[in-house]
PDB file of all heavy atoms in Angstrom:
ATOM      1  N   LYS A 113     -11.357 -14.565  -2.956  1.00  0.00           N
ATOM      2  CA  LYS A 113      -9.929 -14.377  -2.680  1.00  0.00           C
ATOM      3  C   LYS A 113      -9.728 -13.306  -1.601  1.00  0.00           C
ATOM      4  O   LYS A 113      -8.895 -13.444  -0.708  1.00  0.00           O
ATOM      5  CB  LYS A 113      -9.196 -13.980  -3.959  1.00  0.00           C
ATOM      6  CG  LYS A 113      -7.686 -13.931  -3.816  1.00  0.00           C
ATOM      7  CD  LYS A 113      -7.013 -13.497  -5.114  1.00  0.00           C
ATOM      8  CE  LYS A 113      -7.231 -14.500  -6.223  1.00  0.00           C
ATOM      9  NZ  LYS A 113      -6.460 -14.143  -7.456  1.00  0.00           N
ATOM     10  N   PHE A 114     -10.517 -12.247  -1.673  1.00  0.00           N
ATOM     11  CA  PHE A 114     -10.441 -11.176  -0.670  1.00  0.00           C
ATOM     12  C   PHE A 114     -10.772 -11.710   0.721  1.00  0.00           C
ATOM     13  O   PHE A 114     -10.086 -11.405   1.700  1.00  0.00           O
ATOM     14  CB  PHE A 114     -11.401 -10.057  -1.062  1.00  0.00           C
ATOM     15  CG  PHE A 114     -11.688  -9.084   0.048  1.00  0.00           C
ATOM     16  CD1 PHE A 114     -10.705  -8.227   0.531  1.00  0.00           C
ATOM     17  CD2 PHE A 114     -12.949  -9.031   0.631  1.00  0.00           C
ATOM     18  CE1 PHE A 114     -10.967  -7.331   1.549  1.00  0.00           C
ATOM     19  CE2 PHE A 114     -13.223  -8.148   1.650  1.00  0.00           C
ATOM     20  CZ  PHE A 114     -12.229  -7.297   2.105  1.00  0.00           C
ATOM     21  N   ARG A 115     -11.825 -12.517   0.826  1.00  0.00           N
ATOM     22  CA  ARG A 115     -12.232 -13.038   2.130  1.00  0.00           C
ATOM     23  C   ARG A 115     -11.198 -13.997   2.714  1.00  0.00           C
ATOM     24  O   ARG A 115     -11.068 -14.114   3.930  1.00  0.00           O
ATOM     25  CB  ARG A 115     -13.587 -13.741   2.010  1.00  0.00           C
ATOM     26  CG  ARG A 115     -14.730 -12.814   1.652  1.00  0.00           C
ATOM     27  CD  ARG A 115     -16.061 -13.541   1.766  1.00  0.00           C
ATOM     28  NE  ARG A 115     -17.154 -12.738   1.254  1.00  0.00           N
ATOM     29  CZ  ARG A 115     -17.624 -12.830   0.022  1.00  0.00           C
ATOM     30  NH1 ARG A 115     -17.104 -13.714  -0.819  1.00  0.00           N
ATOM     31  NH2 ARG A 115     -18.612 -12.066  -0.379  1.00  0.00           N
ATOM     32  N   ARG A 116     -10.474 -14.706   1.848  1.00  0.00           N
ATOM     33  CA  ARG A 116      -9.502 -15.678   2.336  1.00  0.00           C
ATOM     34  C   ARG A 116      -8.222 -15.023   2.837  1.00  0.00           C
ATOM     35  O   ARG A 116      -7.457 -15.641   3.570  1.00  0.00           O
ATOM     36  CB  ARG A 116      -9.148 -16.679   1.228  1.00  0.00           C
ATOM     37  CG  ARG A 116     -10.256 -17.636   0.871  1.00  0.00           C
ATOM     38  CD  ARG A 116      -9.706 -18.824   0.084  1.00  0.00           C
ATOM     39  NE  ARG A 116      -9.034 -18.398  -1.122  1.00  0.00           N
ATOM     40  CZ  ARG A 116      -9.631 -18.288  -2.310  1.00  0.00           C
ATOM     41  NH1 ARG A 116     -10.922 -18.571  -2.430  1.00  0.00           N
ATOM     42  NH2 ARG A 116      -8.946 -17.908  -3.380  1.00  0.00           N
ATOM     43  N   ARG A 117      -7.973 -13.799   2.442  1.00  0.00           N
ATOM     44  CA  ARG A 117      -6.738 -13.137   2.823  1.00  0.00           C
ATOM     45  C   ARG A 117      -6.805 -12.673   4.262  1.00  0.00           C
ATOM     46  O   ARG A 117      -7.775 -12.062   4.696  1.00  0.00           O
ATOM     47  CB  ARG A 117      -6.457 -11.923   1.926  1.00  0.00           C
ATOM     48  CG  ARG A 117      -6.205 -12.286   0.480  1.00  0.00           C
ATOM     49  CD  ARG A 117      -5.972 -11.045  -0.345  1.00  0.00           C
ATOM     50  NE  ARG A 117      -4.688 -10.437  -0.025  1.00  0.00           N
ATOM     51  CZ  ARG A 117      -3.556 -10.715  -0.661  1.00  0.00           C
ATOM     52  NH1 ARG A 117      -3.551 -11.604  -1.622  1.00  0.00           N
ATOM     53  NH2 ARG A 117      -2.442 -10.122  -0.329  1.00  0.00           N
ATOM     54  N   GLY A 118      -5.747 -12.949   5.023  1.00  0.00           N
ATOM     55  CA  GLY A 118      -5.660 -12.467   6.384  1.00  0.00           C
ATOM     56  C   GLY A 118      -5.140 -11.041   6.419  1.00  0.00           C
ATOM     57  O   GLY A 118      -4.712 -10.476   5.428  1.00  0.00           O
ATOM     58  N   ARG A 119      -5.166 -10.442   7.604  1.00  0.00           N
ATOM     59  CA  ARG A 119      -4.713  -9.064   7.771  1.00  0.00           C
ATOM     60  C   ARG A 119      -3.242  -8.922   7.410  1.00  0.00           C
ATOM     61  O   ARG A 119      -2.831  -7.959   6.777  1.00  0.00           O
ATOM     62  CB  ARG A 119      -4.944  -8.640   9.236  1.00  0.00           C
ATOM     63  CG  ARG A 119      -4.450  -7.244   9.577  1.00  0.00           C
ATOM     64  CD  ARG A 119      -5.209  -6.181   8.813  1.00  0.00           C
ATOM     65  NE  ARG A 119      -4.803  -4.850   9.232  1.00  0.00           N
ATOM     66  CZ  ARG A 119      -5.121  -3.749   8.583  1.00  0.00           C
ATOM     67  NH1 ARG A 119      -5.835  -3.819   7.486  1.00  0.00           N
ATOM     68  NH2 ARG A 119      -4.721  -2.575   9.020  1.00  0.00           N
ATOM     69  N   ARG A 120      -2.429  -9.912   7.793  1.00  0.00           N
ATOM     70  CA  ARG A 120      -0.992  -9.835   7.510  1.00  0.00           C
ATOM     71  C   ARG A 120      -0.728  -9.845   6.010  1.00  0.00           C
ATOM     72  O   ARG A 120       0.089  -9.089   5.500  1.00  0.00           O
ATOM     73  CB  ARG A 120      -0.287 -11.025   8.170  1.00  0.00           C
ATOM     74  CG  ARG A 120       1.215 -11.069   7.990  1.00  0.00           C
ATOM     75  CD  ARG A 120       1.879  -9.934   8.723  1.00  0.00           C
ATOM     76  NE  ARG A 120       2.201  -8.823   7.856  1.00  0.00           N
ATOM     77  CZ  ARG A 120       2.551  -7.630   8.288  1.00  0.00           C
ATOM     78  NH1 ARG A 120       2.607  -7.374   9.573  1.00  0.00           N
ATOM     79  NH2 ARG A 120       2.843  -6.664   7.446  1.00  0.00           N
TER      80      ARG A 120
END
Side-chain angles (χ1 to χ4, degrees):
K113 187 181 295 186
F114 165 68
R115 294 189 188 95
R116 290 197 302 268
R117 295 179 71 92
R119 177 64 175 168
R120 181 67 261 167

